[in-house]
Amino acid sequence: LITMRNILGAVLAAAACGQAAAVTATALGAPIDVWSAVDTLHKCGKIDVPDVPARAFVDSSGTTRMIVGATQYHHMSGPSLFKQTRECAIAFNETGDPDPAHFAGDEFLDSPVAFPNGTVVALVHTEYPGNVYNNTGPGAPHCTIHPYPTCWTVTIGLAISDDFGATWRHARPPPEHLVAAVPYGYNQSQLAYGWGDPSNILKHPTDGYYYAAIWNRNQVGLQAPGICMMRTNHLMDPSSWRAWSGKDYSVPFVSPYTMPPGEAAEHICAVTNLPAGDTSSGCAPAGLVWSTYLKKFVVSLGCGSSFKFATSDDLIVWSEAQPLDIRHNMPANVSVMIRGQNYPTFMDPTAPTALGDKNFATVGQNPFLFWVSIGDSPYHYGRHLWATPFTFTK
């Protein structure tokens, strides 16, 4: 039976394929080793690894500051994206709150936007692994079955710095710092779920809103798996973000622990046509940029052990995701270190000067793909943050 929905789907698919055929992304050379976690281990005597995509901004002194770490964030700064020094001191540590209703368990500082006065606003990817907090907090035990992909949910919070990232605090005391959550509370039997893994925050080149892509791994209640677009025009207010409804950005996020019963349908995001994936091989939106060369938005996706990218004119309808080949002509001394890979995101070193974007959310024709390699152990090859030169063609 042919329906209008079938026809619309076919039209969107055809349009997406047309976009994909028009744009290619090609690696131009060997990757630059930006940060070796093994070097930090030797220097600081602690395991400190890149476990979120690399983000960066330029402060008022011209120093490039980078956010890339785990639940313990360490300052990283230098004269450019490629020359960064990692500090041993912890600048932001997870709260480790055992109550899932506070959205402050395992916190990963991510997605900053910096302003000239020193204010930096950042999304916080916040995991709640029930097995970690099994015997503490209300409702314990939280995990009586096998941990991940069960006993696990994720939300997004908001952190603020007043000194270009030297110190951080929640935008509001938890749980009021919540930015995004699905309207369903922690359930140890549910496969991994929740809004998390945010892209960087992108300021739209024309409408002035701030956008981010977020990811839900598995169907939960009415919420489909996939990538959701959200936006705000008030970065300092965590409650101001709105998700795409299928028609407009009108869907508010809510705490499932205080939401009145029966209102879940009012807080469901209409996911994009980007690949939804699943727990093991889903596509997380690691990066989101505007290309002045393509005149399009570009999303970079971490899909299990592979990288992909797609383009869009409106952030909702995307081209078919195409592979990003980082291993073409990769030197043997680099490839031997790689057992896995994750967190691909484009940044253009010329953005602060040539493109007027000190938050690196704008790229030209020749950005670098920043990504993380996973080695055989933290003590040998460990994890590395790399930057591979790419070029777009259309």
Side-chain angles (χ1 to χ4, degrees):
L1 183 65
I2 298 176
T3 65
M4 287 302 296
R5 184 174 182 178
N6 297 141
I7 295 171
L8 179 59
V11 171
L12 292 178
C17 288
Q19 286 191 57
V23 177
T24 61
T26 306
L28 292 179
I32 298 169
D33 194 352
V34 178
W35 171 37
S36 165
V38 174
D39 291 345
T40 300
L41 175 64
H42 294 159
K43 172 185 174 182
C44 304
K46 64 177 68 175
I47 295 177
D48 170 27
V49 299
D51 207 18
V52 295
R55 317 294 189 197
F57 60 87
V58 176
D59 67 18
S60 58
S61 71
T63 299
T64 299
R65 299 186 177 274
M66 186 172 286
I67 291 180
V68 55
T71 53
Q72 293 181 339
Y73 162 67
H74 299 253
H75 288 305
M76 195 167 173
S77 62
S80 73
L81 288 173
F82 312 117
K83 295 182 179 180
Q84 293 281 305
T85 299
R86 189 84 171 176
E87 297 181 12
C88 294
I90 297 171
F92 178 86
N93 200 6
E94 64 176 4
T95 303
D97 191 322
D99 187 343
H102 291 168
F103 315 112
D106 291 5
E107 297 174 295
F108 297 73
L109 191 66
D110 198 349
S111 311
V113 173
F115 295 91
N117 66 352
T119 298
V120 187
V121 181
L123 299 178
V124 181
H125 168 90
T126 307
E127 300 176 1
Y128 187 83
N131 59 300
V132 172
Y133 301 105
N134 204 18
N135 298 314
T136 56
H142 299 290
C143 185
T144 58
I145 55 179
H146 193 276
Y148 192 88
T150 52
C151 295
W152 193 92
T153 188
V154 63
T155 57
I156 297 172
L158 193 71
I160 293 177
S161 171
D162 299 313
D163 47 20
F164 284 118
T167 58
W168 292 90
R169 68 182 191 280
H170 289 119
R172 295 174 182 167
E176 301 303 319
H177 71 307
L178 178 69
V179 167
V182 295
Y184 304 98
Y186 174 74
N187 177 356
Q188 66 168 307
S189 300
Q190 166 71 42
L191 286 177
Y193 67 101
W195 292 124
D197 301 270
S199 71
N200 57 290
I201 297 173
L202 166 73
K203 186 175 183 180
H204 197 287
T206 57
D207 72 19
Y209 279 82
Y210 293 91
Y211 290 78
I214 56 179
W215 180 44
N216 173 38
R217 288 163 167 75
N218 291 287
Q219 181 85 33
V220 53
L222 298 174
Q223 183 58 66
I227 293 174
C228 169
M229 294 304 305
M230 64 176 187
R231 77 177 189 182
T232 183
N233 61 359
H234 189 7
L235 279 177
M236 300 290 285
D237 181 1
S239 66
S240 66
W241 289 85
R242 294 293 182 268
W244 179 248
S245 70
K247 296 180 179 179
D248 54 24
Y249 288 93
S250 59
V251 178
F253 297 100
V254 66
S255 167
Y257 304 98
T258 58
M259 179 188 71
E263 293 189 1
E266 300 174 18
H267 306 285
I268 299 300
C269 178
V271 297
T272 69
N273 65 318
L274 289 166
D278 54 32
T279 301
S280 60
S281 62
C283 290
L288 182 67
V289 296
W290 169 255
S291 170
T292 57
Y293 167 74
L294 297 175
K295 302 300 182 185
K296 292 180 181 291
F297 299 100
V298 181
V299 64
S300 47
L301 305 167
C303 305
S305 60
S306 65
F307 297 158
K308 298 180 181 181
F309 82 103
T311 62
S312 175
D313 296 320
D314 60 6
L315 293 167
I316 299 299
V317 179
W318 292 87
S319 66
E320 182 180 356
Q322 299 295 308
L324 286 168
D325 183 6
I326 58 169
R327 302 209 182 200
H328 180 66
N329 292 328
M330 181 177 287
N333 66 325
V334 174
S335 61
V336 73
M337 302 182 189
I338 303 172
R339 302 294 183 270
Q341 60 194 47
N342 209 338
Y343 310 124
T345 185
F346 284 113
M347 287 193 282
D348 189 328
T350 71
T353 52
L355 305 176
D357 185 354
K358 292 187 176 182
N359 288 295
F360 293 98
T362 307
V363 301
Q365 182 179 4
N366 300 305
F368 281 72
L369 186 73
F370 285 72
W371 56 281
V372 172
S373 67
I374 301 170
D376 52 359
S377 85
Y379 307 97
H380 189 209
Y381 291 129
R383 294 193 183 196
H384 289 250
L385 174 64
W386 303 93
T388 300
F390 266 78
T391 188
F392 293 127
T393 56
K394 59 181 178 178

